[in-house]
Amino acid sequence: MENFTPFSALLGGVLLGTSATLLLWMNGQIAGISGIFRGAIKMRAPDRLWRILFLVGLVCGGALWWQLMGPSFIPRDDFPLPLLIIAGILVGFGSRIGNGCTSGHGVCGLGRTSGRSAASTATFFSIALATTFIVRHLLGGIS
Amino acid sequence: MKRQIVALLTGILFGIGLSISQMVNPEKVLAFLDIVGNWDPSLALVMGGAVGVTLLTFRRVLRLPKPLFASRFEVPGTDGIDAQLLTGAAIFGVGWGISGYCPGPAIASLTFGSAEPAIFIVAFIIGNAIAIRWQAINSELIAQH
């Protein structure tokens, strides 16, 4: 547990909740990243601009912090490529048919005490725990 | 115009939140998901902090007649847990548990110097496209019956 960073974790979480609150209060929208991304890349989607701007902000927010605060960790870049691609496809497929991801169902859905989001969040968390266990401890640490 | 500025600024805030909390570090995410390994409980506090805020604010916000800069709240329904919702969440969980990336952190960490987030996002788009095809085929099959 020597890597435990409770203060920055809590602060970051509060910022995420604050961002989601402002987007809902001012624009009436849910800060669900997979849904926003889907709407942003769809060619003829209505209301595309705000989604693109939110994603631009997301990239800029990360970049701003990385530049101002200096790298706080070494970004991983040796993850096995086939696994990374498979993982990306699964996340893309799953969040599409399950209507959301960590932000939409987790951060926003739980805040609305949505039964759908609670079921989704409980499912993806427990499956992710099991998957990490299998990959790291049963398949012999390929990641 | 106001709505676009809000979107940009809330996006920036979201990106900073993901960065400060280190959700953008897939190794940190996997260290949280790996409870029998060298467990790092930090991400429980990220989720706790975020949901703590939304639990306090969302209910009040949604009681307002309308948002500040839009004509109505666009929120999905909260009832109706079906197989598709849970299957999607489970498949999502497998991908998240393998790689340590979910969509937000991958996008927020695009400029950090590793190619992984960009590769992940391309694969995410492919997965999305497959899901759309799959849903179209599925609804055709249902329509035939």
Side-chain angles (χ1 to χ4, degrees), chain A residues 19 21 26 28 76 112 116 137, chain B residues 34 57 69 74 76 80 99 114:
Chain A
S19 164
T21 299
M26 295 183 168
R76 184 183 71 190
R112 296 165 59 209
R116 271 174 67 80
H137 300 286
Chain B
D34 186 9
T57 59
F69 305 134
E74 285 187 37
S99 63
S114 164

Side-chain angles (χ1 to χ4, degrees), chain B residues 114-130:
Chain B
S114 164
E116 283 189 16
I119 296 167
F120 179 86
I121 290 165
V122 172
F124 173 90
I125 294 171
I126 295 169
N128 235 298
I130 296 172

Side-chain angles (χ1 to χ4, degrees), chain B residues 90-114:
Chain B
I91 293 171
F92 172 87
V94 174
W96 190 37
I98 290 176
S99 63
Y101 281 117
C102 54
I107 296 168
S109 63
L110 272 173
T111 64
F112 292 4
S114 164

Side-chain angles (χ1 to χ4, degrees), chain A residues 2-3 5 13 19 21 24-28 50 57 65 76-77 79 88 94 96 102 107 112 116 124 129 132 137, chain B residues 3 10 12 19 27-28 33-34 38 42 50 54 57 68-69 74 76 78-80 89 97 99 102 114 116 128:
Chain A
E2 70 276 6
N3 298 321
T5 50
S19 164
T21 299
L24 184 67
W25 176 43
M26 295 183 168
N27 289 6
W50 79 263
W65 174 83
R76 184 183 71 190
D77 64 359
F79 196 77
R96 179 75 187 89
T102 340
V107 175
R112 296 165 59 209
R116 271 174 67 80
F124 70 66
L129 289 170
T132 307
H137 300 286
Chain B
R3 291 178 62 223
T10 50
I12 290 173
S19 301
E27 288 300 326
K28 183 102 176 156
L33 293 174
D34 186 9
N38 186 12
S42 307
T54 57
T57 59
L68 276 184
F69 305 134
E74 285 187 37
T78 57
D79 304 325
S99 63
C102 54
S114 164
E116 283 189 16
N128 235 298

